[in-house]
Amino acid sequence: MSDDTKPNPVKTLTLKKKATSSSNGASRPSDSSDSRGARAGTGSVRTGSRAHAVARSNVERNKTAPPPERTDRNDDTDTRRSSKPSKPFSRDSSRPSPARDARPSRTDENHRHSDRSEQGPSHQRVARNSPKHSETVSQTFPVFAPCPSGLEFVLEQELVDLGFENVQRGRAGCHFVADWSGVMHANLMSRIATRILARVGHGTVYTEDDIYALTHSVEWERWFGAERSLRVDTSAIRSPMKSLQFCNLVAKDAICDRLLDLEGERPSIDTVRPDARVHVFLDETTATLYLDTSGESLFKRGWRFDKGEAPLRENLAAGLLALSGWQPHIPLFDPFCGSGTILIEAAMISLNIPPGINRPFAFERLRNHDSRRWQDMLDKSRLHIKPALEAPIVGIDLDPQAIDAALSNADRSGLDPTCLDFAVGDAVSTPPPSEPGFIVTNPPYGDRLDTYDLSLWKEWAQQLKHEFAGWQLHVISSDRDLPKHLRLKPRLKTPIFNGALDCRLFAIDLVAAGYRDTATRDAR
Protein backbone atom coordinates (compact mmCIF):
# COMPACT_ATOMS: atom_id res chain seq x y z
CA MET A 1 0.00 0.00 0.00
CA SER A 2 1.43 3.39 -1.04
CA ASP A 3 1.80 6.39 1.23
CA ASP A 4 -0.94 8.24 -0.62
CA THR A 5 -3.50 5.65 0.41
CA LYS A 6 -2.67 5.69 4.13
CA PRO A 7 -5.44 7.66 5.88
CA ASN A 8 -3.84 8.13 9.31
CA PRO A 9 -0.80 10.23 8.33
CA VAL A 10 -2.88 12.38 6.05
CA LYS A 11 -5.51 12.99 8.73
CA THR A 12 -2.92 13.79 11.42
CA LEU A 13 -0.94 16.04 9.14
CA THR A 14 -3.98 17.97 8.03
CA LEU A 15 -5.16 18.72 11.56
CA LYS A 16 -1.77 19.79 12.81
CA LYS A 17 -0.94 21.85 9.79
CA LYS A 18 -4.20 23.80 10.00
CA ALA A 19 -3.71 24.35 13.72
CA THR A 20 -0.30 25.96 13.19
CA SER A 21 -0.99 27.78 9.93
CA SER A 22 -3.63 30.08 11.45
CA SER A 23 -2.99 32.60 14.16
CA ASN A 24 -6.32 32.13 15.87
CA GLY A 25 -6.79 28.40 15.38
CA ALA A 26 -8.75 26.71 12.57
CA SER A 27 -12.29 25.56 13.12
CA ARG A 28 -13.29 21.95 12.84
CA PRO A 29 -15.55 22.35 9.79
CA SER A 30 -12.61 23.72 7.71
CA ASP A 31 -10.38 20.86 8.88
CA SER A 32 -12.89 18.30 7.76
CA SER A 33 -13.17 19.98 4.41
CA ASP A 34 -9.39 19.90 3.88
CA SER A 35 -9.28 16.25 4.90
CA ARG A 36 -11.87 15.39 2.30
CA GLY A 37 -9.84 17.33 -0.27
CA ALA A 38 -6.67 15.40 0.65
CA ARG A 39 -8.42 12.08 0.18
CA ALA A 40 -9.68 13.19 -3.21
CA GLY A 41 -6.18 14.25 -4.32
CA THR A 42 -7.17 17.89 -4.83
CA GLY A 43 -5.44 19.44 -1.78
CA SER A 44 -1.76 20.52 -1.46
CA VAL A 45 -1.07 18.24 1.49
CA ARG A 46 2.37 16.62 1.72
CA THR A 47 2.69 12.88 2.31
CA GLY A 48 5.43 10.40 2.83
CA SER A 49 8.40 10.25 5.22
CA ARG A 50 8.95 13.99 5.20
CA ALA A 51 5.32 14.50 6.20
CA HIS A 52 5.86 12.20 9.20
CA ALA A 53 8.81 14.29 10.30
CA VAL A 54 6.89 17.54 10.03
CA ALA A 55 3.98 16.08 11.97
CA ARG A 56 6.22 14.87 14.81
CA SER A 57 7.85 18.30 15.00
CA ASN A 58 4.46 20.00 15.28
CA VAL A 59 3.37 17.61 18.02
CA GLU A 60 6.45 18.38 20.10
CA ARG A 61 5.89 22.13 19.71
CA ASN A 62 2.27 21.84 20.80
CA LYS A 63 3.23 19.94 23.94
CA THR A 64 5.47 22.77 25.16
CA ALA A 65 3.03 25.60 24.35
CA PRO A 66 0.07 26.16 26.75
CA PRO A 67 -3.35 26.07 25.09
CA PRO A 68 -4.43 29.70 24.64
CA GLU A 69 -8.16 29.14 24.91
CA ARG A 70 -7.98 27.25 28.21
CA THR A 71 -5.71 29.92 29.67
CA ASP A 72 -8.26 32.63 28.78
CA ARG A 73 -11.14 30.79 30.37
CA ASN A 74 -9.21 30.18 33.58
CA ASP A 75 -8.19 33.81 33.74
CA ASP A 76 -11.81 34.94 33.32
CA THR A 77 -12.98 32.52 35.97
CA ASP A 78 -10.32 33.67 38.41
CA THR A 79 -11.23 37.28 37.73
CA ARG A 80 -14.90 36.67 38.39
CA ARG A 81 -14.18 34.76 41.57
CA SER A 82 -11.83 37.40 42.87
CA SER A 83 -14.48 40.11 42.27
CA LYS A 84 -16.90 38.45 44.68
CA PRO A 85 -16.87 39.52 48.32
CA SER A 86 -15.10 37.12 50.61
CA LYS A 87 -18.16 37.10 52.92
CA PRO A 88 -21.22 37.30 50.69
CA PHE A 89 -23.64 37.22 53.63
CA SER A 90 -21.93 39.86 55.74
CA ARG A 91 -24.77 42.33 55.04
CA ASP A 92 -27.35 40.07 56.67
CA SER A 93 -25.09 38.95 59.49
CA SER A 94 -24.51 42.54 60.55
CA ARG A 95 -28.18 43.03 61.35
CA PRO A 96 -29.42 42.35 64.85
CA SER A 97 -31.66 39.30 65.03
CA PRO A 98 -35.32 39.91 65.83
CA ALA A 99 -36.72 39.32 69.27
CA ARG A 100 -39.23 36.64 68.19
CA ASP A 101 -38.17 33.12 69.11
CA ALA A 102 -40.45 31.66 66.45
CA ARG A 103 -38.61 33.47 63.67
CA PRO A 104 -37.32 30.88 61.15
CA SER A 105 -33.66 30.80 60.18
CA ARG A 106 -32.83 32.09 56.74
CA THR A 107 -32.19 29.60 53.97
CA ASP A 108 -29.51 29.81 51.32
CA GLU A 109 -32.13 31.03 48.87
CA ASN A 110 -32.90 33.96 51.16
CA HIS A 111 -29.18 34.78 51.26
CA ARG A 112 -29.05 34.85 47.50
CA HIS A 113 -31.94 37.31 47.43
CA SER A 114 -30.11 39.42 50.00
CA ASP A 115 -26.99 39.50 47.80
CA ARG A 116 -29.01 40.72 44.86
CA SER A 117 -30.61 43.45 46.91
CA GLU A 118 -27.15 45.01 47.48
CA GLN A 119 -26.89 45.69 43.75
CA GLY A 120 -29.70 48.24 43.84
CA PRO A 121 -33.39 48.19 42.97
CA SER A 122 -32.99 47.84 39.19
CA HIS A 123 -30.62 44.85 39.42
CA GLN A 124 -32.77 43.28 42.08
CA ARG A 125 -35.95 43.48 39.96
CA VAL A 126 -34.34 41.93 36.88
CA ALA A 127 -32.73 39.12 38.88
CA ARG A 128 -36.00 38.28 40.56
CA ASN A 129 -38.42 38.53 37.68
CA SER A 130 -36.62 36.49 35.05
CA PRO A 131 -36.55 33.03 36.73
CA LYS A 132 -39.53 33.62 38.98
CA HIS A 133 -41.75 34.74 36.12
CA SER A 134 -41.22 31.56 34.11
CA GLU A 135 -41.69 29.52 37.28
CA THR A 136 -44.99 31.24 38.07
CA VAL A 137 -46.34 30.80 34.53
CA SER A 138 -45.78 27.03 34.62
CA GLN A 139 -46.78 26.51 38.27
CA THR A 140 -50.26 25.35 39.24
CA PHE A 141 -52.00 26.73 42.30
CA PRO A 142 -54.78 25.50 44.55
CA VAL A 143 -57.39 28.25 44.18
CA PHE A 144 -60.42 29.18 46.26
CA ALA A 145 -63.25 31.24 44.77
CA PRO A 146 -65.64 32.53 47.47
CA CYS A 147 -69.22 33.41 46.55
CA PRO A 148 -72.47 34.42 48.29
CA SER A 149 -73.84 31.60 50.40
CA GLY A 150 -76.35 29.65 48.36
CA LEU A 151 -74.57 30.05 45.02
CA GLU A 152 -71.98 27.29 45.48
CA PHE A 153 -73.71 24.88 43.08
CA VAL A 154 -74.00 27.34 40.18
CA LEU A 155 -70.44 28.59 40.81
CA GLU A 156 -69.20 25.01 40.57
CA GLN A 157 -71.00 24.59 37.25
CA GLU A 158 -69.62 27.89 35.97
CA LEU A 159 -66.02 26.93 36.77
CA VAL A 160 -66.46 23.56 35.08
CA ASP A 161 -67.87 25.30 32.00
CA LEU A 162 -64.83 27.61 31.99
CA GLY A 163 -62.59 24.54 31.73
CA PHE A 164 -61.11 24.31 35.22
CA GLU A 165 -60.19 20.97 36.75
CA ASN A 166 -60.72 19.40 40.16
CA VAL A 167 -63.59 21.78 41.00
CA GLN A 168 -65.04 21.02 44.42
CA ARG A 169 -67.80 22.81 46.25
CA GLY A 170 -66.98 24.12 49.70
CA ARG A 171 -68.55 26.37 52.27
CA ALA A 172 -69.47 29.66 50.55
CA GLY A 173 -67.21 28.96 47.58
CA CYS A 174 -65.42 26.44 45.39
CA HIS A 175 -61.92 25.00 45.23
CA PHE A 176 -60.14 24.28 41.97
CA VAL A 177 -56.64 24.06 40.45
CA ALA A 178 -55.25 26.45 37.83
CA ASP A 179 -52.00 27.78 36.44
CA TRP A 180 -51.39 31.54 36.45
CA SER A 181 -53.11 32.03 33.09
CA GLY A 182 -56.10 30.20 34.55
CA VAL A 183 -56.07 32.53 37.56
CA MET A 184 -56.27 35.53 35.22
CA HIS A 185 -58.96 33.81 33.14
CA ALA A 186 -61.09 33.12 36.23
CA ASN A 187 -60.90 36.77 37.26
CA LEU A 188 -61.93 37.90 33.80
CA MET A 189 -64.76 35.43 33.18
CA SER A 190 -66.38 34.42 36.49
CA ARG A 191 -69.74 36.12 37.00
CA ILE A 192 -70.55 34.49 40.34
CA ALA A 193 -67.27 34.40 42.32
CA THR A 194 -66.50 37.21 44.75
CA ARG A 195 -62.71 36.84 44.54
CA ILE A 196 -60.05 34.54 43.14
CA LEU A 197 -57.62 33.55 45.91
CA ALA A 198 -54.41 31.66 45.06
CA ARG A 199 -53.12 29.53 47.93
CA VAL A 200 -49.45 30.25 48.67
CA GLY A 201 -49.07 28.66 52.11
CA HIS A 202 -50.65 26.04 54.36
CA GLY A 203 -49.57 24.40 57.57
CA THR A 204 -50.41 23.27 61.08
CA VAL A 205 -50.58 26.03 63.68
CA TYR A 206 -51.28 25.94 67.39
CA THR A 207 -49.98 29.31 68.56
CA GLU A 208 -49.44 32.80 67.18
CA ASP A 209 -45.73 31.99 66.83
CA ASP A 210 -46.67 29.16 64.48
CA ILE A 211 -48.61 31.64 62.37
CA TYR A 212 -45.56 33.90 62.24
CA ALA A 213 -43.24 31.07 61.22
CA LEU A 214 -45.59 29.81 58.50
CA THR A 215 -46.19 33.28 57.08
CA HIS A 216 -42.50 34.17 57.19
CA SER A 217 -41.63 31.04 55.18
CA VAL A 218 -43.68 32.10 52.12
CA GLU A 219 -41.73 33.75 49.27
CA TRP A 220 -43.67 37.00 49.26
CA GLU A 221 -40.84 38.66 47.35
CA ARG A 222 -42.03 36.79 44.27
CA TRP A 223 -45.22 38.83 44.27
CA PHE A 224 -44.57 42.24 45.79
CA GLY A 225 -42.13 44.32 47.82
CA ALA A 226 -41.81 47.70 49.47
CA GLU A 227 -42.95 49.38 46.24
CA ARG A 228 -46.49 48.14 46.90
CA SER A 229 -48.91 48.78 49.76
CA LEU A 230 -50.25 45.81 51.71
CA ARG A 231 -53.36 44.71 53.55
CA VAL A 232 -53.82 41.49 55.54
CA ASP A 233 -57.23 40.06 56.47
CA THR A 234 -57.79 37.14 58.84
CA SER A 235 -60.90 35.00 59.25
CA ALA A 236 -61.49 31.82 61.21
CA ILE A 237 -63.85 28.95 61.90
CA ARG A 238 -63.55 27.20 65.26
CA SER A 239 -60.00 28.43 65.70
CA PRO A 240 -58.51 28.18 69.22
CA MET A 241 -56.69 31.50 68.77
CA LYS A 242 -57.80 34.03 71.35
CA SER A 243 -57.65 37.17 69.20
CA LEU A 244 -58.04 37.29 65.42
CA GLN A 245 -56.86 40.88 65.47
CA PHE A 246 -53.57 39.82 67.06
CA CYS A 247 -53.22 36.92 64.59
CA ASN A 248 -53.72 39.40 61.77
CA LEU A 249 -50.99 41.63 63.23
CA VAL A 250 -48.62 38.67 63.57
CA ALA A 251 -49.11 37.63 59.94
CA LYS A 252 -48.58 41.20 58.73
CA ASP A 253 -45.36 41.48 60.75
CA ALA A 254 -44.06 38.21 59.33
CA ILE A 255 -44.56 39.41 55.75
CA CYS A 256 -42.98 42.80 56.41
CA ASP A 257 -40.05 41.30 58.35
CA ARG A 258 -39.22 38.90 55.53
CA LEU A 259 -39.25 41.65 52.92
CA LEU A 260 -37.19 43.88 55.21
CA ASP A 261 -34.58 41.16 55.64
CA LEU A 262 -34.32 40.42 51.93
CA GLU A 263 -34.69 43.86 50.39
CA GLY A 264 -33.98 46.35 53.15
CA GLU A 265 -37.46 47.88 53.08
CA ARG A 266 -40.92 46.93 54.24
CA PRO A 267 -44.21 47.69 52.45
CA SER A 268 -46.57 50.33 53.74
CA ILE A 269 -49.99 49.33 55.06
CA ASP A 270 -53.14 50.53 53.29
CA THR A 271 -56.47 49.17 54.52
CA VAL A 272 -58.58 51.08 51.96
CA ARG A 273 -57.04 50.56 48.50
CA PRO A 274 -54.00 48.29 48.90
CA ASP A 275 -51.88 47.13 45.98
CA ALA A 276 -51.47 43.64 47.46
CA ARG A 277 -53.88 41.81 49.72
CA VAL A 278 -53.25 38.63 51.72
CA HIS A 279 -55.97 36.53 53.34
CA VAL A 280 -55.27 34.28 56.33
CA PHE A 281 -57.82 31.59 57.11
CA LEU A 282 -57.67 29.68 60.39
CA ASP A 283 -59.51 26.56 61.50
CA GLU A 284 -59.03 24.20 64.43
CA THR A 285 -55.45 23.17 63.63
CA THR A 286 -54.29 24.80 60.38
CA ALA A 287 -53.69 28.12 58.71
CA THR A 288 -54.05 28.76 54.98
CA LEU A 289 -52.48 31.79 53.31
CA TYR A 290 -54.07 33.18 50.15
CA LEU A 291 -52.83 35.83 47.74
CA ASP A 292 -55.78 37.89 46.54
CA THR A 293 -55.47 38.16 42.75
CA SER A 294 -58.68 40.16 42.29
CA GLY A 295 -58.25 43.31 44.34
CA GLU A 296 -61.70 44.83 44.67
CA SER A 297 -64.51 42.30 44.83
CA LEU A 298 -65.42 40.80 41.48
CA PHE A 299 -69.03 41.98 41.74
CA LYS A 300 -67.65 45.47 41.13
CA ARG A 301 -67.74 45.28 37.35
CA GLY A 302 -66.85 48.93 36.85
CA TRP A 303 -70.16 50.16 35.44
CA ARG A 304 -72.57 50.62 38.35
CA PHE A 305 -72.38 54.09 39.91
CA ASP A 306 -76.12 54.65 40.35
CA LYS A 307 -77.14 51.96 42.81
CA GLY A 308 -80.78 52.73 43.43
CA GLU A 309 -82.60 52.16 46.71
CA ALA A 310 -81.70 48.52 47.47
CA PRO A 311 -79.47 47.08 44.75
CA LEU A 312 -78.38 43.50 44.33
CA ARG A 313 -74.71 42.85 43.93
CA GLU A 314 -73.82 41.92 40.39
CA ASN A 315 -72.57 38.41 41.19
CA LEU A 316 -75.75 37.72 43.19
CA ALA A 317 -77.83 38.87 40.22
CA ALA A 318 -75.86 36.55 37.93
CA GLY A 319 -76.35 33.76 40.46
CA LEU A 320 -80.13 34.30 40.53
CA LEU A 321 -80.24 34.03 36.75
CA ALA A 322 -78.20 30.82 36.88
CA LEU A 323 -80.39 29.32 39.62
CA SER A 324 -83.56 30.18 37.70
CA GLY A 325 -82.41 28.29 34.63
CA TRP A 326 -82.85 31.27 32.32
CA GLN A 327 -81.11 31.02 28.94
CA PRO A 328 -80.29 33.84 26.47
CA HIS A 329 -82.89 32.66 23.93
CA ILE A 330 -85.72 33.06 26.50
CA PRO A 331 -87.50 36.44 27.02
CA LEU A 332 -86.74 38.05 30.39
CA PHE A 333 -88.86 40.51 32.36
CA ASP A 334 -88.22 42.32 35.67
CA PRO A 335 -91.24 44.30 36.95
CA PHE A 336 -89.20 45.75 39.89
CA CYS A 337 -85.97 46.40 37.99
CA GLY A 338 -84.63 49.27 40.15
CA SER A 339 -81.21 50.28 38.84
CA GLY A 340 -81.26 47.41 36.36
CA THR A 341 -78.65 45.06 37.85
CA ILE A 342 -80.41 41.78 36.99
CA LEU A 343 -81.19 42.81 33.43
CA ILE A 344 -77.77 44.30 32.69
CA GLU A 345 -76.16 41.10 33.92
CA ALA A 346 -78.55 39.11 31.72
CA ALA A 347 -77.65 41.21 28.68
CA MET A 348 -73.91 40.70 29.29
CA ILE A 349 -74.49 36.96 29.60
CA SER A 350 -76.54 36.90 26.41
CA LEU A 351 -73.90 38.87 24.48
CA ASN A 352 -71.04 36.85 26.02
CA ILE A 353 -69.37 40.00 27.37
CA PRO A 354 -66.74 39.09 30.01
CA PRO A 355 -67.80 40.52 33.39
CA GLY A 356 -64.27 41.78 34.13
CA ILE A 357 -63.64 43.44 30.77
CA ASN A 358 -63.98 47.00 32.15
CA ARG A 359 -62.10 46.80 35.46
CA PRO A 360 -58.54 46.41 36.81
CA PHE A 361 -57.28 43.49 38.89
CA ALA A 362 -54.74 43.10 41.67
CA PHE A 363 -52.63 40.62 39.67
CA GLU A 364 -51.79 43.46 37.25
CA ARG A 365 -49.76 45.09 40.06
CA LEU A 366 -47.78 41.99 41.03
CA ARG A 367 -44.14 41.52 40.10
CA ASN A 368 -44.73 38.50 37.91
CA HIS A 369 -47.43 40.12 35.78
CA ASP A 370 -47.13 39.45 32.05
CA SER A 371 -48.96 42.41 30.52
CA ARG A 372 -48.62 41.06 27.00
CA ARG A 373 -50.20 37.72 27.90
CA TRP A 374 -53.01 39.55 29.70
CA GLN A 375 -53.65 41.85 26.74
CA ASP A 376 -53.80 38.84 24.42
CA MET A 377 -56.39 37.26 26.72
CA LEU A 378 -58.50 40.43 26.66
CA ASP A 379 -58.28 40.72 22.87
CA LYS A 380 -59.26 37.09 22.43
CA SER A 381 -62.28 37.45 24.73
CA ARG A 382 -63.53 40.44 22.73
CA LEU A 383 -63.63 38.32 19.59
CA HIS A 384 -66.39 36.17 21.12
CA ILE A 385 -68.78 39.05 21.97
CA LYS A 386 -72.08 38.68 20.11
CA PRO A 387 -73.62 41.61 18.20
CA ALA A 388 -77.25 41.32 19.36
CA LEU A 389 -79.61 39.73 21.88
CA GLU A 390 -81.43 36.55 21.05
CA ALA A 391 -84.60 37.48 23.00
CA PRO A 392 -86.06 40.68 24.52
CA ILE A 393 -84.93 41.82 27.97
CA VAL A 394 -87.39 44.26 29.53
CA GLY A 395 -87.52 46.07 32.87
CA ILE A 396 -89.99 48.47 34.48
CA ASP A 397 -90.11 50.33 37.77
CA LEU A 398 -92.60 52.73 39.33
CA ASP A 399 -89.78 55.16 40.26
CA PRO A 400 -88.56 57.36 37.35
CA GLN A 401 -85.24 57.97 39.12
CA ALA A 402 -84.62 54.22 39.25
CA ILE A 403 -85.17 54.00 35.49
CA ASP A 404 -82.74 56.89 34.92
CA ALA A 405 -80.16 55.04 37.04
CA ALA A 406 -80.73 51.84 35.05
CA LEU A 407 -80.22 53.66 31.75
CA SER A 408 -77.02 55.28 33.03
CA ASN A 409 -75.66 51.95 34.28
CA ALA A 410 -76.46 50.25 30.98
CA ASP A 411 -74.65 53.01 29.11
CA ARG A 412 -71.53 52.72 31.29
CA SER A 413 -71.50 48.94 30.84
CA GLY A 414 -70.96 49.46 27.13
CA LEU A 415 -74.29 47.99 26.04
CA ASP A 416 -76.12 49.37 23.03
CA PRO A 417 -78.94 51.74 24.20
CA THR A 418 -81.40 49.70 22.13
CA CYS A 419 -80.23 46.45 23.71
CA LEU A 420 -82.37 46.79 26.83
CA ASP A 421 -85.88 48.13 27.24
CA PHE A 422 -86.24 50.16 30.45
CA ALA A 423 -89.42 52.12 31.12
CA VAL A 424 -91.48 53.58 33.96
CA GLY A 425 -94.32 51.21 34.70
CA ASP A 426 -96.45 49.58 37.38
CA ALA A 427 -96.08 45.85 38.00
CA VAL A 428 -99.76 45.47 38.85
CA SER A 429 -100.96 46.75 35.47
CA THR A 430 -98.22 46.18 32.90
CA PRO A 431 -99.02 43.40 30.41
CA PRO A 432 -96.47 40.80 29.30
CA PRO A 433 -93.81 42.38 27.05
CA SER A 434 -93.47 39.29 24.85
CA GLU A 435 -94.30 35.63 24.51
CA PRO A 436 -93.95 33.57 27.71
CA GLY A 437 -90.53 33.62 29.29
CA PHE A 438 -88.95 34.20 32.71
CA ILE A 439 -89.67 36.77 35.40
CA VAL A 440 -86.59 37.19 37.63
CA THR A 441 -87.02 39.99 40.12
CA ASN A 442 -86.04 41.49 43.46
CA PRO A 443 -89.29 43.06 44.74
CA PRO A 444 -89.42 45.31 47.81
CA TYR A 445 -89.07 43.53 51.13
CA GLY A 446 -87.70 44.24 54.59
CA ASP A 447 -87.15 47.98 55.12
CA ARG A 448 -88.27 48.72 51.57
CA LEU A 449 -91.81 47.51 52.34
CA ASP A 450 -92.43 50.65 54.41
CA THR A 451 -92.86 52.61 51.18
CA TYR A 452 -95.31 50.13 49.69
CA ASP A 453 -98.89 49.24 50.56
CA LEU A 454 -99.11 45.56 51.52
CA SER A 455 -102.00 45.29 49.08
CA LEU A 456 -99.31 45.26 46.40
CA TRP A 457 -98.97 41.50 46.69
CA LYS A 458 -102.67 40.82 46.16
CA GLU A 459 -102.87 43.10 43.11
CA TRP A 460 -99.65 41.78 41.59
CA ALA A 461 -100.78 38.18 42.11
CA GLN A 462 -104.00 38.89 40.20
CA GLN A 463 -101.99 40.37 37.33
CA LEU A 464 -99.69 37.36 37.24
CA LYS A 465 -102.57 34.89 37.24
CA HIS A 466 -104.58 36.64 34.54
CA GLU A 467 -101.84 37.90 32.19
CA PHE A 468 -98.71 35.82 32.67
CA ALA A 469 -99.88 32.23 32.28
CA GLY A 470 -97.05 30.11 30.94
CA TRP A 471 -94.32 32.27 32.46
CA GLN A 472 -91.88 31.19 35.18
CA LEU A 473 -91.59 33.45 38.22
CA HIS A 474 -88.33 33.55 40.21
CA VAL A 475 -88.47 36.04 43.06
CA ILE A 476 -85.98 36.63 45.89
CA SER A 477 -87.27 37.79 49.26
CA SER A 478 -86.45 37.68 52.94
CA ASP A 479 -90.18 37.34 53.62
CA ARG A 480 -90.82 33.62 54.03
CA ASP A 481 -94.56 34.27 53.68
CA LEU A 482 -94.34 35.89 50.27
CA PRO A 483 -95.86 32.86 48.45
CA LYS A 484 -98.83 33.03 50.86
CA HIS A 485 -99.31 36.72 50.12
CA LEU A 486 -99.28 35.92 46.41
CA ARG A 487 -101.46 32.83 46.94
CA LEU A 488 -99.05 30.89 44.76
CA LYS A 489 -97.30 27.67 45.62
CA PRO A 490 -93.55 27.55 44.88
CA ARG A 491 -92.11 24.40 43.41
CA LEU A 492 -88.66 25.24 44.79
CA LYS A 493 -87.22 27.33 47.63
CA THR A 494 -83.48 28.01 47.47
CA PRO A 495 -81.79 29.51 50.58
CA ILE A 496 -79.56 32.40 49.62
CA PHE A 497 -78.04 35.43 51.35
CA ASN A 498 -78.44 38.95 50.02
CA GLY A 499 -75.71 40.57 52.07
CA ALA A 500 -76.68 39.88 55.68
CA LEU A 501 -80.32 39.10 54.83
CA ASP A 502 -81.31 35.43 54.93
CA CYS A 503 -83.48 35.13 51.83
CA ARG A 504 -85.19 32.54 49.67
CA LEU A 505 -85.40 32.34 45.91
CA PHE A 506 -88.93 31.13 45.18
CA ALA A 507 -89.50 29.37 41.85
CA ILE A 508 -93.16 29.42 40.78
CA ASP A 509 -94.72 28.11 37.58
CA LEU A 510 -97.53 30.40 36.46
CA VAL A 511 -100.01 27.90 35.09
CA ALA A 512 -103.47 29.28 34.29
CA ALA A 513 -105.27 25.97 34.69
CA GLY A 514 -104.76 25.76 38.45
CA TYR A 515 -105.51 29.31 39.51
CA ARG A 516 -109.29 29.09 39.49
CA ASP A 517 -109.24 26.09 41.79
CA THR A 518 -106.71 27.82 44.04
CA ALA A 519 -108.85 30.94 44.25
CA THR A 520 -111.92 28.86 45.10
CA ARG A 521 -110.08 27.05 47.90
CA ASP A 522 -108.82 30.35 49.28
CA ALA A 523 -112.37 31.76 49.28
CA ARG A 524 -113.61 28.80 51.31
Side-chain angles (χ1 to χ4, degrees), residues 146-156 169-174 192 315-316 319-320 322-324 476 493-499 501-505:
C147 68
S149 181
L151 298 184
E152 296 89 348
F153 177 79
V154 290
L155 175 59
E156 178 188 27
R169 267 179 285 164
R171 181 180 179 273
C174 289
I192 301 174
N315 62 334
L316 179 56
L320 296 181
L323 286 171
S324 73
I476 182 175
K493 303 176 184 178
T494 304
I496 193 170
F497 274 84
N498 179 12
L501 288 175
D502 185 6
C503 300
R504 294 294 183 273
L505 179 65

Side-chain angles (χ1 to χ4, degrees), residues 319-390:
L320 296 181
L321 291 167
L323 286 171
S324 73
W326 173 82
Q327 296 295 323
H329 65 276
I330 302 175
L332 181 64
F333 178 51
D334 184 354
F336 303 95
C337 70
S339 59
T341 304
I342 292 177
L343 300 185
I344 293 174
E345 281 295 312
M348 297 185 73
I349 293 172
S350 182
L351 297 176
N352 201 31
I353 300 175
I357 197 74
N358 293 321
R359 56 156 288 167
F361 295 96
F363 63 75
E364 297 179 72
R365 299 188 292 272
L366 298 178
R367 285 178 172 177
N368 69 322
H369 178 57
D370 187 340
S371 58
R372 182 174 180 178
R373 180 186 293 266
W374 172 235
Q375 188 59 51
D376 290 344
M377 189 177 294
L378 291 174
D379 294 341
K380 185 177 180 179
S381 68
R382 291 188 178 98
L383 297 177
H384 299 285
I385 297 177
K386 299 178 182 179
L389 298 177
E390 300 180 45

Side-chain angles (χ1 to χ4, degrees), residues 132-147:
K132 293 298 183 182
H133 171 70
S134 59
E135 178 184 343
T136 301
V137 169
S138 60
Q139 183 180 358
T140 58
F141 297 86
V143 181
F144 181 65
C147 68

Side-chain angles (χ1 to χ4, degrees), residues 69-148:
E69 294 183 0
R70 183 175 300 176
T71 302
D72 294 340
R73 286 195 298 267
N74 290 340
D75 291 342
D76 291 342
T77 303
D78 294 340
T79 302
R80 288 194 300 268
R81 289 176 179 174
S82 62
S83 64
K84 291 185 178 181
S86 58
K87 294 182 179 180
F89 309 139
S90 59
R91 181 175 181 270
D92 288 333
S93 60
S94 62
R95 288 202 188 108
S97 58
R100 292 183 180 274
D101 297 335
R103 185 192 185 104
S105 60
R106 286 184 212 128
T107 61
D108 292 339
E109 178 65 22
N110 292 349
H111 286 312
R112 287 195 293 270
H113 281 295
S114 181
D115 292 342
R116 292 192 206 108
S117 65
E118 295 182 359
Q119 300 173 4
S122 60
H123 294 83
Q124 153 187 332
R125 185 71 51 82
V126 172
R128 180 179 298 106
N129 280 352
S130 298
K132 293 298 183 182
H133 171 70
S134 59
E135 178 184 343
T136 301
V137 169
S138 60
Q139 183 180 358
T140 58
F141 297 86
V143 181
F144 181 65
C147 68

Side-chain angles (χ1 to χ4, degrees), residues 48-242:
S49 58
R50 180 170 177 76
H52 285 289
V54 173
R56 281 195 297 270
S57 175
N58 288 338
V59 170
E60 294 299 328
R61 259 197 317 270
N62 289 338
K63 286 182 178 180
T64 59
E69 294 183 0
R70 183 175 300 176
T71 302
D72 294 340
R73 286 195 298 267
N74 290 340
D75 291 342
D76 291 342
T77 303
D78 294 340
T79 302
R80 288 194 300 268
R81 289 176 179 174
S82 62
S83 64
K84 291 185 178 181
S86 58
K87 294 182 179 180
F89 309 139
S90 59
R91 181 175 181 270
D92 288 333
S93 60
S94 62
R95 288 202 188 108
S97 58
R100 292 183 180 274
D101 297 335
R103 185 192 185 104
S105 60
R106 286 184 212 128
T107 61
D108 292 339
E109 178 65 22
N110 292 349
H111 286 312
R112 287 195 293 270
H113 281 295
S114 181
D115 292 342
R116 292 192 206 108
S117 65
E118 295 182 359
Q119 300 173 4
S122 60
H123 294 83
Q124 153 187 332
R125 185 71 51 82
V126 172
R128 180 179 298 106
N129 280 352
S130 298
K132 293 298 183 182
H133 171 70
S134 59
E135 178 184 343
T136 301
V137 169
S138 60
Q139 183 180 358
T140 58
F141 297 86
V143 181
F144 181 65
C147 68
S149 181
L151 298 184
E152 296 89 348
F153 177 79
V154 290
L155 175 59
E156 178 188 27
Q157 187 58 52
E158 178 189 57
L159 294 172
V160 171
D161 292 342
L162 290 175
F164 293 106
E165 300 178 351
N166 302 325
V167 181
Q168 296 180 346
R169 267 179 285 164
R171 181 180 179 273
C174 289
H175 300 268
F176 63 100
V177 177
D179 59 13
W180 197 249
S181 293
V183 169
M184 295 192 295
H185 185 64
N187 276 285
L188 176 64
M189 299 302 297
S190 178
R191 303 181 190 277
I192 301 174
T194 304
R195 298 180 182 276
I196 302 298
L197 306 175
R199 195 179 83 182
V200 294
H202 180 77
T204 301
V205 296
Y206 296 104
T207 66
E208 289 81 359
D209 287 341
D210 295 335
I211 296 175
Y212 183 93
L214 174 64
T215 309
H216 192 278
S217 67
V218 176
E219 294 182 329
W220 302 108
E221 64 275 7
R222 291 178 57 186
W223 313 101
F224 57 86
E227 75 279 0
R228 298 298 184 190
S229 58
L230 172 67
R231 171 173 173 168
V232 179
D233 294 291
T234 302
S235 58
I237 296 179
R238 296 184 296 273
S239 173
M241 303 298 171
K242 296 181 180 179

